[in-house]
Amino acid sequence: MMKWIRALLISVLAALCASLLLLAATAFVTARMGSLPRSSLTLVTTLAACGAVFLGGLAGALSAKERGLLLGLGCGAVFLLCAAAATVLLFGAELEPASGGKAAAVLLSGAIGGILGANRKHKVKF
């Protein structure tokens, strides 16, 4: 049981660090471009969140070496809960119907990262 909690914590911390780096890079590129259409901002942030959760699921599954699907989905779920809490509590905004598609994309990317991490072939040293 402790192994799964440790792997989930590694997964969530990797997703947190990756999201900070990806969003900072996105902000830097946006600032250099000068302007960005408001409609594309949602797509850019969703892609950054998907990339972060993918890397988080990958890191958690690499540390546990099994049950990558569950670790990836768990990482995505924790990430979505934190994002939803920040949206509702800090900004006072309501969740929109489009949030379902974004949530599905984030969970799918976490699951794919977890599966790839758990099924990674290990090198045999002689």
Side-chain angles (χ1 to χ4, degrees):
M1 183 68 171
M2 195 64 160
K3 179 181 179 180
W4 306 115
I5 294 172
R6 182 178 153 273
L8 186 62
L9 284 175
I10 289 171
S11 180
V12 169
L13 288 175
L16 174 71
C17 293
S19 68
L20 288 174
L21 290 174
L22 287 172
L23 288 174
T26 302
F28 179 75
V29 169
T30 304
R32 287 288 180 195
M33 287 176 48
S35 66
L36 181 70
R38 190 169 178 89
S39 61
S40 66
L41 186 62
T42 304
L43 177 65
V44 169
T45 56
T46 303
L47 288 175
C50 287
V53 172
F54 174 82
L55 293 174
L58 184 72
L62 284 174
S63 70
K65 295 183 178 72
E66 56 188 25
R67 297 198 187 206
L69 176 66
L70 295 177
L71 285 170
L73 287 174
C75 176
V78 170
F79 191 89
L80 286 174
L81 285 175
C82 292
T87 300
V88 172
L89 297 175
L90 294 177
F91 301 114
E94 296 179 10
L95 298 176
E96 300 173 355
S99 300
K102 295 174 195 172
V106 168
L107 288 174
L108 182 65
S109 64
I112 291 171
I115 290 170
L116 290 177
N119 292 332
R120 182 172 172 246
K121 302 242 188 239
H122 300 285
K123 293 182 180 179
V124 178
K125 295 182 181 179
F126 292 104

